[in-house]
Amino acid sequence: MGMKRIRARATVDPADAPAFFTLLAHSPAVAEARVLEVNTTPEGVETLLIAIDGDHTAFAAGAADTPGVQSVDVTAVGDERAYATLVMRSPETPLFDRIHELGNDVGFVVRTPFVYRDGAMYGRAVGDPAALQRALGNVPEEIDVEVEAVGEFRGGTDAPESALSDRQREALEVARELGYYDRPRGATHEDVAAELGCGPATASDHLQKAEAKVVDAVLDEFGPEV
């Protein structure tokens, strides 16, 4: 049967949503929050690396006042982008803890990032279809889960470069080396074609298909569609 890959959207009624979910999914100061990594100690203390799009100062203040969060450290990388590390005790954030416990079952893995935006959390999992179905059946009743996409797992499709053919990758590498992506542009399709040993139309086709795959992967937080 093979491994399956799913993408799901989870929502919680605002009246029942815990403070941590509200902080990430409902805060007017945060356009999007992405939980990139989670490190959990045997004592149940979690350290989260979160990318924040929005008002990072307001996010830090809100996180500091959120039950279960022991500390927050924010580093801004622009006016609207920041990264934060949060240290939290999962027993004090029970719903978040129960969501993470779903990933401790055998037969599948829950993948990062977890993406929070517009009142919802989006996530992915890969594994045995029966295990995935079992996990969906064990979702806490407070959480409404909608499976948005299901497909065969094809390997490292979450990395944009993995979707490229060898020739498309070569075309991008040559174009970059020649300055095709510089501003102002330092090379033309004809220059790329000459280096690749093909016609300009063929070089243009390779570049357009490669660029489309990379753009699709970047704009879709979860990589190419399943």
Side-chain angles (χ1 to χ4, degrees):
M1 183 178 296
M3 291 189 294
K4 293 291 186 180
R5 181 172 183 257
I6 68 169
R7 180 169 55 196
R9 176 179 184 269
T11 56
V12 184
D13 188 306
D16 300 323
F20 187 74
F21 187 94
T22 298
L23 170 69
L24 297 181
H26 292 287
S27 171
V30 178
E32 181 173 286
R34 296 176 297 284
V35 178
L36 304 177
E37 303 287 348
V38 181
N39 179 38
T40 305
T41 69
E43 295 76 25
V45 178
E46 295 182 326
T47 301
L48 282 62
L49 174 63
I50 305 177
I52 304 298
D53 289 348
D55 186 340
H56 58 83
T57 301
F59 171 83
D65 291 335
T66 298
V69 175
Q70 295 184 333
S71 66
V72 56
D73 184 19
V74 176
T75 298
V77 294
D79 293 338
E80 297 294 332
R81 172 67 59 84
Y83 291 89
T85 52
L86 267 70
V87 177
M88 55 190 291
R89 292 194 61 83
S90 57
E92 298 175 31
T93 53
L95 185 57
F96 184 79
D97 187 43
R98 289 166 68 189
I99 292 173
H100 278 224
E101 285 179 353
L102 294 175
N104 294 332
D105 201 352
V106 296
F108 72 98
V109 292
V110 176
R111 311 192 69 184
T112 53
F114 307 116
V115 179
Y116 292 79
R117 61 171 177 257
D118 299 328
M121 180 185 77
Y122 301 81
R124 305 162 299 157
V126 173
D128 175 73
L132 291 169
Q133 188 63 45
R134 183 172 62 248
L136 290 172
N138 290 332
V139 171
E141 62 181 13
E142 303 98 316
I143 304 175
D144 182 24
V145 175
E146 174 189 356
V147 176
E148 296 188 320
V150 179
E152 298 295 331
F153 180 61
R154 301 188 300 270
T157 53
D158 296 320
E161 66 274 11
S162 68
L164 302 175
S165 70
D166 290 343
R167 194 60 164 163
Q168 290 165 358
R169 180 194 298 271
E170 182 183 11
L172 287 180
E173 290 174 345
V174 167
R176 183 177 63 179
E177 290 171 0
L178 294 178
Y180 179 80
Y181 294 109
D182 292 349
R183 290 292 179 269
R185 195 184 293 276
T188 65
H189 286 144
E190 289 76 11
D191 298 324
V192 175
E195 189 70 20
L196 292 174
C198 64
T202 300
S204 178
D205 183 64
H206 288 324
L207 288 174
Q208 288 179 3
K209 288 180 178 178
E211 291 162 2
K213 289 178 179 179
V214 173
V215 169
D216 285 345
V218 170
L219 293 182
D220 176 4
E221 288 292 342
F222 303 110
E225 293 288 343
V226 294

